[in-house]
Each structure stands twice: as structure tokens, then as C-alpha cells.
Amino acid sequence: MTPANSRAASAPSASAKPAVMTATFTPPAESTMPTGDYGKVIRLGQQVFMETGQYASRYVGNNLTCANCHLDAGRKADSAPLWASFIHYPAFRSKTGQVDTLASRIQGCFEYSMNGKAPPADDPIITALQTYAFWLAKGAPVGMPLPGSGYPKLKKPEQPADYARGEKVYAQNCALCHGADGLGQRAGDKQVFPPLWGPKSFNWGAGMHQLANAAGFIQANMPLGKGGTLSEQEAWDVAVFMNSHERPQDPRFTKSVAETRKKYHDTDDSLYGKTVNGHVLGSP
């Protein structure tokens, strides 16, 4: 995108290319977090991010936290780190058909990934999360492509992604933490490992239901602490297996699953409305 004030600068040569950072950005250390009232808001944002159900309970409808998909408290590259959200928004999104601010992007996370409801844009929860994102992005160039700022974009698999192969990968690499039933693990009232499907997971409108996002995240980050050990084919296969299970309805649901798929999911990247093991995904 050409900067709005580019005419005030010297004209680039015809062969000039946009600058791209080649080194992964490193956010500031937690030990450098400011004190005082400003620091309190940053810390609240971190707490909301790490323990979302505790600090933003009125807006959350499942057992996930922000940190389940944005690892290391929103710091880790290749897991859609929070610092990248700050430097890349506002931005146009095809999902909403408009330019989303960082606040509206976070609201969408509550509605879809957290299967809850969007806090008002001026709610202290939104302010705290934006402030935490701003602090994490200290020193990062705004609007410039940065390595690791999203989920990796994997090439399409050599073999079509397969449910049966994915089931085997899941049993061998994922079930230990997330359970054979995909419902995660709890210790008392605390969710230790997140549910990957079922009533307390992300809904059919969340970005992780898209196969490319799930496969990229899985290959780079899973099993936890052993990212990169699964092949890309295995990541695609287990993404299909994971997203072939039922989860909460897309909040944008219209009159039928077929109509909702046509309007919001008409792509090979989504299994919503597809029939798997005799069941139409997204139907009761």
C-alpha cells in the first residue's frame, strides 16, 4: 500500500520494492513493563489475555483464552502474536467487508474465537488489550511486513488432506493434552489444555476453523514445545480431523446451514456445511 503522504517524499525509482523486515521482531521483556497507572492498564491487558474467562467473564462463552491461539502471552512469532495486531491495524478485512480497527478486530475475537459477545469499543477490557498490544509492539515498524506476524502459510498438501490420516496424527501427537474427545483437560475449575471442538471451543466463525490457519498454526507450534516436528502433510491432515468435529454455531447464521455456508463459508478452506461421517457440520 502506498503511504498517504508519499508525494511529500522523494519519488522512488521504478525498480524500488517495499521494505520488508527479514529478522523476527522481539517484543520488550516483561521485566521492563512500566509502573504507575499506565503500567496497571498494560498488566490488566496481559491478565485478560492470559486468563480471559476470569478477567472478561461477561464477554466469554467458552473455555479458551487469548493465549491458547496466540502463544507465549501474545509474544510468539508464527502464532499470530499480539504485537503484530497493533502494527497491522486498521486494515481492510474481507471477513467484515470493511476497514477494521484494532478495537473491532479484538471485538471479533470475543464474538468468534471466544464464542461470546463483543465488549463495547470503549470498555476497559478493550482498552487494556489494546494498551498491552501497543506495549508489546514497542520498536516495531508500523505497517511493514514482519516475519512471524501471522500463522505460517503452508503450501497445499501433495495429497488431499485426509480425515483418517489426521485421526492417527491426532492420537499420536495431540490427544495426550487435548484428550481423545477433543475437549481438553481441566484441573479443578482451571482449563489446563484447551478444547479443540465441542460446546466449549471456538465457533464456526472463528479464524481457526479455516483449514489453512489451523494447519499453519499446528505445523509451527504443535505439539506444544515441539513446533516444526510434524510434516506439513501431517499438519493439513490433523487440521481436517480437528475441524471435522462439531462446535458452536456461527453467530452469523441465517436461515439454514446451506445458506450460511453459501454466504460466509463457500470455500475449500471451510468444512462448515460439509457432510463428514454422515453428519452435516454446523447442523444441530
Side-chain angles (χ1 to χ4, degrees), residues 94-159:
S94 58
K95 181 175 183 176
T96 60
Q98 64 183 24
V99 171
D100 278 349
T101 63
L102 179 55
S104 62
R105 180 67 180 88
I106 294 172
Q107 287 175 315
C109 288
F110 277 97
E111 187 175 8
Y112 298 108
S113 296
M114 308 306 298
N115 193 39
K117 61 181 181 180
D122 61 351
D123 189 281
I125 295 296
I126 297 292
T127 299
L129 286 170
Q130 290 188 100
T131 306
Y132 180 47
F134 172 78
W135 178 75
L136 283 176
K138 183 179 180 180
V142 174
M144 181 179 291
L146 284 174
S149 63
Y151 298 135
K153 306 298 182 185
L154 304 184
K155 295 179 180 179
K156 288 294 184 181
E158 293 184 5
Q159 304 177 68

Side-chain angles (χ1 to χ4, degrees), residues 30 33 41-51 73 132:
E30 184 175 354
M33 197 176 286
V41 177
I42 296 174
R43 284 179 173 80
L44 175 59
Q46 185 185 52
Q47 290 169 325
V48 172
F49 200 84
M50 298 298 294
E51 301 289 345
Y132 180 47

Side-chain angles (χ1 to χ4, degrees), residues 41-252:
V41 177
I42 296 174
R43 284 179 173 80
L44 175 59
Q46 185 185 52
Q47 290 169 325
V48 172
F49 200 84
M50 298 298 294
E51 301 289 345
T52 318
Q54 177 180 345
Y55 289 92
S57 58
R58 62 190 181 277
Y59 301 120
V60 173
N62 59 23
N63 288 341
L64 301 182
T65 71
C66 303
N68 288 147
C69 294
H70 312 280
L71 303 179
D72 192 20
R75 295 169 170 275
K76 189 178 184 300
D78 290 329
S79 65
L82 187 59
W83 50 259
S85 297
F86 178 80
I87 66 174
H88 290 313
Y89 282 91
F92 180 85
R93 299 179 70 217
S94 58
K95 181 175 183 176
T96 60
Q98 64 183 24
V99 171
D100 278 349
T101 63
L102 179 55
S104 62
R105 180 67 180 88
I106 294 172
Q107 287 175 315
C109 288
F110 277 97
E111 187 175 8
Y112 298 108
S113 296
M114 308 306 298
N115 193 39
K117 61 181 181 180
D122 61 351
D123 189 281
I125 295 296
I126 297 292
T127 299
L129 286 170
Q130 290 188 100
T131 306
Y132 180 47
F134 172 78
W135 178 75
L136 283 176
K138 183 179 180 180
V142 174
M144 181 179 291
L146 284 174
S149 63
Y151 298 135
K153 306 298 182 185
L154 304 184
K155 295 179 180 179
K156 288 294 184 181
E158 293 184 5
Q159 304 177 68
D162 181 77
Y163 178 101
R165 288 198 307 264
E167 185 175 22
K168 293 179 180 178
V169 175
Y170 184 87
Q172 294 169 358
N173 299 277
C174 314
L176 180 64
C177 293
H178 298 288
D181 57 6
L183 302 184
Q185 293 190 46
R186 295 181 67 83
D189 61 354
K190 184 177 180 61
Q191 189 76 35
V192 180
F193 293 104
L196 302 182
W197 60 80
K200 290 299 183 179
S201 188
F202 55 88
N203 66 43
W204 281 111
M208 195 60 78
H209 103 279
Q210 297 175 330
L211 296 177
N213 283 341
F217 172 80
I218 290 167
Q219 204 282 324
N221 299 290
M222 295 290 126
L224 189 64
K226 298 180 180 179
T229 59
L230 296 180
S231 69
E232 292 192 7
Q233 181 70 59
E234 288 172 324
W236 280 107
D237 290 340
V238 79
V240 162
F241 175 73
M242 180 180 81
N243 285 338
S244 290
H245 289 80
E246 202 53 86
R247 59 187 63 261
Q249 182 60 266
D250 189 327
R252 302 167 296 181

